[in-house]
Amino acid sequence: MKQQLKKYIHRYVDFSDAELDAFIAKMELIKLEKKKFILEEGEICHHQYFLLEGLVHTFYLDQDGNERTSSFALENWWFTSLESYIKQSPSFYSIQTIEPCVFLKIAKTDLDALFDTIPNLEKFFRLMAQNMVIALQRRTDIYQKMISKERYEYFRRNFPEFFQRVPQYLIASYLEITPEYLSSLRNSK
Amino acid sequence: MKQQLKKYIHRYVDFSDAELDAFIAKMELIKLEKKKFILEEGEICHHQYFLLEGLVHTFYLDQDGNERTSSFALENWWFTSLESYIKQSPSFYSIQTIEPCVFLKIAKTDLDALFDTIPNLEKFFRLMAQNMVIALQRRTDIYQKMISKERYEYFRRNFPEFFQRVPQYLIASYLEITPEYLSSLRNSK
DNA sequence: GGGATTCCTTAAAGTATCTTAAGAAAGAAT
DNA sequence: ATTCTTTCTTAAGATACTTTAAGGAATCCC
């Protein structure tokens, strides 16, 4: 089970077995059904999560009470409510399972302690954060330069997995359009 | 001159003087006039930059040849073309001065070598990357939840500095609207 | 298997934003 | 000072996208 995370980590950094084990020992395994909250808006996020199986999304509610999805996570993705986690402040976002999920979590207090003893861990999380920056910049660009129809095509082509697994109204909210308009885009071509 | 960077770093991490000096010794001081390129689209970005004075923006050209600003940097901000820098691949973005600028730069080869000898540096750049993630997430949310007029008000209120220093057509490109529409927003209230 | 949710589609009317084109204002260059 | 270039404004017509409202299709549940 935790083998999957070890394999993932080795793609980025050369940990010794002892280091890796010390890290992994602090991670707790969680299973959750679909449509369950991992974190609710307003709570303080104390953990970082690594998804082993399933599908998760991070969202908030706008003034009209609509869910606005800001990101998805699939197998082998890290997720958390980063600003809340770092500042230990109330989260703007909720995190919820879309499918039944299995994931690992590690507490900020544990991870911060490990940082002091395992320099490689700093490197690993630096690389993770940099990857997030790149992904976010790409997303921003795509929204800036494409109209909805192009965004839809782009994501359908580049993340076909999502489009089979995620309900349409969530895709619409991620593409920043209404479900009605998405439906018309899908059928107009 | 480099004192300014030291002060900035100490806000985040406790470096020893020796560590800090080893790091700073590898940074080179550059001065540039306004409207000069620091990096051009298609080049590989070999450096990270710390802005001491002036104003810089990162942008790309869309299909119609319009500049699309994806970020600004002011005094005491780090900037680079991150994806290009990390993967050493051609940059999607150009980086250009808006005002006359003074900045420090450090080469990837030097920084990577320093990472191996100064663990604190890993931590520092991890924190920098995390801050970028937070800033980008905020930006994404604001674009998702606000219509242009609200975005304009939001940025004008929260970053008044920009609005005095940056030409309107660049603000428009950052707000993801046309200069014409920005102009009409400004005068309609 | 039937009723209740939840999700997806259709269509019409309305709105935010863009495009184009032209002129005004401001800055830079000679 | 005058010209040239860059930036900002105005306005009319076009279009991408939303809102509302309703019906249809899936899925969940007892």
Side-chain angles (χ1 to χ4, degrees):
Chain A
M1 199 52 109
K2 289 178 173 179
Q3 201 51 38
Q4 187 175 338
L5 175 57
K6 287 191 183 183
K7 214 167 143 188
Y8 178 86
I9 291 174
H10 276 306
R11 277 164 38 190
Y12 290 94
V13 177
D14 270 330
F15 277 86
S16 72
D17 285 348
E19 285 172 338
L20 236 181
D21 288 338
F23 172 46
I24 300 247
K26 293 294 185 186
M27 297 206 79
E28 184 187 347
L29 186 74
I30 313 268
K31 297 186 190 207
L32 264 191
E33 300 152 47
K34 70 189 273 190
K35 286 245 167 191
K36 297 293 178 195
F37 282 96
I38 297 171
L39 180 77
E40 288 196 64
E41 193 181 331
E43 293 176 356
I44 292 174
C45 181
H46 296 291
H47 296 84
Q48 296 211 43
Y49 303 88
F50 183 78
L51 190 56
L52 295 168
E53 265 182 60
L55 181 49
V56 153
H57 79 307
T58 300
F59 67 95
Y60 61 86
L61 298 178
D62 67 13
Q63 303 97 312
D64 305 330
N66 300 313
E67 283 185 10
R68 299 287 198 139
T69 293
S70 47
S71 65
F72 295 102
L74 283 177
E75 286 83 6
N76 287 328
W77 290 33
W78 286 92
F79 63 93
T80 185
S81 179
L82 191 65
E83 184 164 0
S84 169
Y85 173 87
I86 289 174
K87 302 185 180 166
Q88 291 291 287
S89 58
S91 174
F92 302 138
Y93 305 98
S94 299
I95 305 179
Q96 197 183 37
T97 61
I98 295 174
E99 302 175 355
C101 284
V102 182
F103 56 88
L104 296 166
K105 73 175 187 185
I106 185 163
K108 184 170 193 297
T109 46
D110 288 331
L111 184 54
D112 285 346
L114 287 169
F115 278 142
D116 293 333
T117 55
I118 310 179
N120 266 335
L121 211 55
E122 292 275 11
K123 183 184 287 285
F124 178 69
F125 278 91
R126 174 173 64 79
L127 296 175
M128 294 299 103
Q130 287 178 345
N131 283 348
M132 279 190 207
V133 171
I134 290 173
L136 281 167
Q137 282 182 339
R138 285 219 173 151
R139 186 183 176 202
T140 305
D141 286 352
I142 283 158
Y143 284 71
Q144 201 174 30
K145 98 173 109 187
M146 297 182 184
I147 60 173
S148 321
K149 185 164 197 163
E150 293 166 335
R151 286 200 302 260
Y152 170 69
E153 286 302 330
Y154 177 88
F155 282 107
R156 197 174 57 89
R157 210 173 297 124
N158 288 280
F159 306 98
E161 260 196 289
F162 279 110
F163 280 70
Q164 279 143 21
R165 290 167 66 179
V166 178
Q168 303 236 359
Y169 71 95
L170 287 180
I171 292 176
S173 114
Y174 183 69
L175 293 177
E176 298 181 8
I177 57 180
T178 59
E180 293 85 353
Y181 191 51
L182 175 57
S183 177
S184 92
L185 284 182
R186 286 161 55 82
N187 296 346
S188 74
K189 47 154 310 216
Chain B
M1 198 57 110
K2 289 177 173 177
Q3 200 51 37
Q4 188 176 336
L5 175 56
K6 287 192 183 181
K7 215 166 142 188
Y8 178 85
I9 292 175
H10 276 307
R11 278 165 37 192
Y12 290 94
V13 177
D14 270 330
F15 276 86
S16 73
D17 285 347
E19 285 173 336
L20 237 181
D21 288 338
F23 173 46
I24 299 246
K26 293 293 185 185
M27 298 206 80
E28 185 186 348
L29 187 73
I30 313 269
K31 296 184 191 208
L32 265 191
E33 299 152 48
K34 70 190 274 192
K35 286 247 167 188
K36 297 293 178 196
F37 282 95
I38 297 171
L39 181 77
E40 287 197 64
E41 192 181 332
E43 293 176 355
I44 291 174
C45 181
H46 296 292
H47 295 84
Q48 295 210 44
Y49 303 88
F50 182 77
L51 190 55
L52 296 168
E53 265 182 60
L55 181 50
V56 153
H57 80 307
T58 299
F59 67 94
Y60 61 87
L61 299 177
D62 66 14
Q63 302 100 313
D64 305 330
N66 300 312
E67 282 185 11
R68 300 289 198 139
T69 293
S70 46
S71 65
F72 295 102
L74 283 177
E75 287 84 6
N76 288 328
W77 290 33
W78 285 91
F79 64 94
T80 185
S81 178
L82 192 64
E83 184 164 1
S84 170
Y85 173 88
I86 288 174
K87 303 185 179 168
Q88 291 290 286
S89 59
S91 174
F92 303 138
Y93 305 99
S94 299
I95 306 179
Q96 198 183 35
T97 60
I98 295 174
E99 301 175 355
C101 285
V102 182
F103 56 87
L104 297 166
K105 74 176 187 185
I106 185 165
K108 183 170 193 296
T109 47
D110 289 332
L111 184 54
D112 285 346
L114 287 169
F115 278 142
D116 293 333
T117 54
I118 310 178
N120 265 335
L121 211 55
E122 291 276 10
K123 184 184 287 285
F124 178 69
F125 278 91
R126 174 172 63 80
L127 296 175
M128 293 299 101
Q130 287 177 345
N131 284 348
M132 279 190 208
V133 172
I134 290 174
L136 281 166
Q137 282 181 339
R138 284 218 173 150
R139 185 182 177 204
T140 304
D141 285 352
I142 282 158
Y143 284 70
Q144 199 174 31
K145 100 172 105 187
M146 296 182 185
I147 60 173
S148 322
K149 187 164 196 163
E150 292 167 335
R151 284 199 303 258
Y152 170 70
E153 287 301 330
Y154 177 87
F155 283 107
R156 198 175 56 89
R157 211 172 296 123
N158 290 281
F159 306 98
E161 262 197 287
F162 279 109
F163 280 69
Q164 279 141 22
R165 290 168 64 178
V166 178
Q168 302 235 359
Y169 71 95
L170 288 180
I171 291 176
S173 114
Y174 184 69
L175 292 178
E176 299 182 6
I177 57 179
T178 59
E180 294 84 353
Y181 191 52
L182 175 57
S183 176
S184 92
L185 285 182
R186 286 162 53 83
N187 297 346
S188 73
K189 48 155 310 220

